[in-house]
Amino acid sequence: MALSLEEVQKIAKLSRLSLTEEETETYKEQLGSILEYVQKLQEVNTDTVPELQNALDITNVFREDVVEACDPTVRQNALNNFSNRKDDLLEVPAVFEGRTE
Amino acid sequence: MDVSALTIKQAKDFLETKGGSSEALVSACLKRIEDQNENLNAVLDVSQTALDEARAIDKKRANGESLGVLAGIPILVKDNILVQGWENKACSQILEGHRSAYNATAIQRLKDAGAILIGRTNMDEFGMGSSTENSHFGPTKNPWDTKKIPGGSSGGSAAAVAAGFAPVALGSDTGGSIRQPSSMCGTVGFKPTYGRVSRYGLMALTSSFDTIGPITRTVEDAALVMQVMEGKDPKDGTSVEIPETTIPQLMDPSLEGLTIGIPKEYFLDGMDEEIRRLVMNSVSVLEAAGAKTVEISMPHTTYALATYYVLLFCEASSNLGRYDGLRFGYHSSGKNLFDTYLQTRGEGFGPEVKRRIMLGSYGLSAGYYDAYYRKALKVRTLIKRDFDEAFKHVDAIVTPTSPSIAWNLGEKFADPLTMYLSDIYTITANLATVPAVSIPCGFSQDLPVGMQLMGRPFDEHTLYRIGMAYQNATDWHTRTPNT
């Protein structure tokens, strides 16, 4: 099942991955052969078969809608991992500025 | 002291009845890692506080304080299981600089039981691989022949236990990642029923299949570690209540009353004849212990690999969306947010990871979602029904764990599909969510071979019972590589 270079580039963009030209070419071949293999599933008749989302017989695992405090050490550790930290906030590039796509 | 073939049971005996110290035990393990890890690359990093923790346990023991069942026992941890303060990276560059904020629930339970976590083990990046060659930190070598792969993705953990770096190492299993490397390295690798051990703190790969489990020398040891880790966790909505159990009840060495199924689809013409012979020899051992065997058929087995990989690609692509370099890990600034994402992820992820993310995005995208993801979910139902049907007639299923013994480093690396085919025997247990274990059952060309047992959901005890009976009658698990 052959993919075109454009299709690979589109998938890479959907996946938010930058690829070199060489990578795009390599992936085009590899993705094509893997997708060819999984076409096998089309052989199976599943007209009356339900999807298996979760094999455990559990539904609606809820808890009370009450704030549970975060352990302060865990919280500090999480904040320490931020790439651009301002006090206790994470600074990120603006979402709507400079968009070209 | 010689820890090269030490089991948890022997370690506990050393500590509890022979007056041994955890400090001596942990020191011996750390020394072994220091001497031999450079050759194997199984361990990424050792804990700087392990000896202090060991001394603290020794002091408590001397004072007669009550201790947990794993008190003083050294354990290695796969790099994708979070230990607070450790630099867990799932062997990916995209988590460079990341320090785990909290302990995984399984880790917390092991710590509460007194275990000493001594270091992180190597793995295929984010669990994506069957050879531990996809690690950002170089491949791990098989201790039985360092030109060979140890299997994957928990190759570091399996190699470490085989080499005697610790009596137990944690792994994770999504498609065979505990069992297959255990088969390659001659260790016991136990995958619990999905939902038995909390996934909180395990970096998510495929949320429908991921499990945490122990890699040990014996089934008895695996059962002990399982008991400590398992059970409902409010932090994991997919974990369930486990009935109270005690291992001594399983010590009956007889397998009278048990029926074992041999599925013909796992023993096709053209398979490795040595592996077939060794696994069928093992079946004879189980029969000698009193089990009956019957041939069974699991007709949808041929579709399992395709089903597994579609579901894995799709769920993994979604789970790995969180790695954007903003809240944690590697950060590569672009001219705007979009470019930051593209660069960070393009540079931070390895090639196999990128391949799978793209396949998953494709399978979930508009126009393909029904044909790929939803179709795979339906075929998954058919595969599970094969198991449900089988378990009406048998109590456990025996198959080989891997279609081949360890292959050469670099041999399959260039062809992803060939690599994927090496998972054919293990992925069905993840699709059907049943428990499964790989147990050493012999050697072919001087390399270990594993037999796999699969059981009913939540019936780990039948697997413990069969595994322990097998290990009582054989000694494959006592062999060690000449390192």
Side-chain angles (χ1 to χ4, degrees):
Chain A
M1 158 151 188
L3 288 176
S4 66
L5 273 177
E6 289 72 38
E7 277 176 302
V8 178
Q9 283 160 350
K10 177 178 161 220
I11 298 166
K13 192 170 157 183
L14 268 182
S15 314
R16 298 297 187 261
L17 295 171
S18 68
L19 299 180
T20 63
E21 259 179 54
E22 202 186 312
E23 281 177 315
T24 310
E25 190 57 54
T26 308
Y27 287 133
K28 175 173 162 306
E29 298 305 316
Q30 292 173 340
L31 264 47
S33 74
I34 294 164
L35 288 169
E36 179 72 50
Y37 178 78
V38 302
Q39 286 295 103
K40 216 173 150 62
L41 293 181
Q42 303 308 321
E43 289 167 23
V44 189
N45 185 321
T46 53
D47 292 344
T48 57
V49 182
E51 296 159 25
L52 185 73
Q53 283 281 359
N54 189 312
L56 303 170
D57 201 14
I58 51 178
T59 49
N60 295 346
V61 180
F62 292 147
R63 65 175 177 87
E64 286 304 308
D65 187 15
V66 167
V67 170
E68 289 177 357
C70 180
D71 176 279
T73 310
V74 171
R75 184 172 172 276
Q76 273 314 306
N77 291 343
L79 297 181
N80 289 341
N81 278 319
F82 285 175
S83 58
N84 273 320
R85 187 175 166 186
K86 261 209 170 96
D87 301 321
D88 280 358
L89 301 176
L90 168 65
E91 185 179 345
V92 302
V95 177
F96 294 109
E97 267 174 32
R99 282 183 79 145
T100 50
E101 33 57 59
Chain B
M1 73 180 283
D2 181 13
V3 295
S4 60
L6 194 68
T7 62
I8 296 176
K9 188 175 174 184
Q10 289 163 349
K12 275 168 68 77
D13 189 46
F14 173 72
L15 297 172
E16 291 164 18
T17 59
K18 296 198 169 63
S21 72
S22 178
E23 183 177 359
L25 200 49
V26 171
S27 286
C29 289
L30 292 175
K31 177 88 178 48
R32 218 173 150 74
I33 292 170
E34 198 183 305
D35 291 343
Q36 296 181 25
N37 190 55
E38 200 171 326
N39 205 24
L40 298 179
N41 196 31
V43 174
L44 299 166
D45 196 19
V46 293
S47 162
Q48 300 305 310
T49 58
L51 281 170
D52 287 336
E53 292 164 31
R55 287 177 198 121
I57 293 281
D58 288 334
K59 205 161 166 195
K60 282 184 158 174
R61 198 187 298 278
N63 289 341
E65 292 176 45
S66 87
L67 295 170
V69 297
L70 290 175
I73 304 292
I75 296 192
L76 285 164
V77 180
K78 188 176 180 183
D79 196 26
N80 61 351
I81 302 173
L82 301 187
V83 178
Q84 190 175 53
W86 284 18
E87 292 177 21
N88 293 101
K89 294 189 183 65
C91 287
S92 178
Q93 189 186 338
I94 211 164
L95 280 172
E96 194 177 84
H98 167 251
R99 274 196 186 272
S100 299
Y102 59 91
N103 285 323
T105 296
I107 293 294
Q108 191 58 55
R109 289 180 182 184
L110 289 168
K111 283 171 80 80
D112 291 342
I116 312 290
L117 309 175
I118 63 171
R120 286 180 294 128
T121 57
N122 202 13
M123 58 183 283
D124 281 297
E125 192 177 348
F126 286 113
M128 299 189 183
S130 310
S131 65
T132 312
E133 291 173 296
N134 287 321
S135 168
H136 183 61
F137 302 101
T140 295
K141 322 270 176 65
N142 192 315
W144 297 88
D145 179 342
T146 55
K147 296 189 302 307
K148 309 277 183 191
I149 52 101
S153 63
S154 310
S157 285
V161 172
F165 289 175
V168 50
L170 291 189
S172 68
D173 192 310
T174 300
S177 290
I178 284 173
R179 293 163 285 151
Q180 187 257 37
S182 291
S183 174
M184 303 290 182
C185 291
T187 59
V188 167
F190 199 94
K191 180 199 97 66
T193 311
Y194 177 87
R196 191 168 181 116
V197 176
S198 169
R199 289 182 297 115
Y200 183 75
L202 169 66
M203 295 194 205
L205 168 58
T206 305
S207 307
S208 301
F209 304 150
D210 292 344
T211 57
I212 292 176
I215 294 177
T216 55
R217 308 198 76 89
T218 66
V219 173
E220 192 175 0
D221 281 358
L224 181 59
V225 177
M226 277 292 300
Q227 276 204 307
V228 171
M229 297 192 299
E230 69 191 10
K232 193 167 168 68
D233 176 19
K235 294 178 180 157
D236 177 358
T238 59
S239 69
V240 296
E241 221 45 88
I242 307 293
E244 270 297 313
T245 54
T246 28
I247 302 298
Q249 285 167 359
L250 312 170
M251 293 297 253
D252 181 4
S254 156
L255 299 181
E256 289 287 340
L258 284 182
T259 304
I260 291 175
I262 315 288
K264 63 181 201 219
E265 290 83 2
Y266 290 68
F267 292 89
L268 298 173
D269 287 340
M271 77 175 285
D272 182 316
E273 279 310 312
E274 253 313 276
I275 291 179
R276 182 205 296 265
R277 191 184 66 82
L278 289 171
V279 175
M280 293 316 290
N281 281 354
S282 302
V283 170
S284 303
V285 170
L286 301 179
E287 284 172 328
K292 275 180 37 227
T293 54
V294 297
E295 189 186 76
I296 58 175
S297 174
M298 305 184 78
H300 296 93
T301 303
T302 185
Y303 299 107
L305 201 73
T307 308
Y308 169 75
Y309 272 106
V310 170
L311 295 175
L312 180 139
F313 298 149
C314 292
E315 293 192 18
S317 72
S318 177
N319 279 325
L320 268 62
R322 71 193 63 183
Y323 301 105
D324 58 10
L326 298 177
R327 288 163 299 147
F328 37 73
Y330 176 82
H331 176 86
S332 177
S333 283
K335 58 184 190 293
N336 54 33
L337 184 62
F338 193 75
D339 280 357
T340 297
Y341 288 153
L342 289 178
Q343 277 172 221
T344 298
R345 291 161 62 84
E347 293 163 25
F349 285 136
E352 182 61 33
V353 173
K354 287 196 275 204
R355 198 162 20 244
R356 297 193 190 196
I357 291 175
M358 287 196 285
L359 285 161
S361 299
Y362 184 83
L364 289 172
S365 62
Y368 295 110
Y369 181 76
D370 284 355
Y372 285 99
Y373 188 61
R374 292 191 67 204
K375 181 76 180 178
L377 286 177
K378 292 181 184 196
V379 183
R380 188 183 179 194
T381 298
L382 295 175
I383 290 165
K384 176 137 183 36
R385 283 181 187 171
D386 280 358
F387 277 83
D388 292 341
E389 188 53 40
F391 286 129
K392 285 181 186 159
H393 311 290
V394 306
D395 302 300
I397 296 170
V398 170
T399 75
T401 304
S402 166
S404 70
I405 50 177
W407 55 88
N408 291 326
L409 285 159
E411 189 181 318
K412 296 194 185 184
F413 196 61
D415 183 5
L417 195 54
T418 306
M419 193 75 89
Y420 299 164
L421 288 169
S422 65
D423 293 339
I424 46 167
Y425 294 142
T426 49
I427 39 101
T428 47
N430 300 89
L431 288 170
T433 75
V434 299
V437 58
S438 181
I439 301 176
C441 71
F443 290 82
S444 170
Q445 299 172 55
D446 298 324
L447 290 168
V449 172
M451 108 168 121
Q452 174 175 242
L453 298 173
M454 297 191 275
R456 294 187 178 94
F458 298 103
D459 190 20
E460 274 73 353
H461 298 116
T462 296
L463 299 185
Y464 299 151
R465 184 176 161 199
I466 298 174
M468 282 165 68
Y470 181 77
Q471 292 192 319
N472 276 338
T474 58
D475 69 356
W476 303 116
H477 57 286
T478 62
R479 310 274 180 94
T480 59
N482 291 329
T483 39

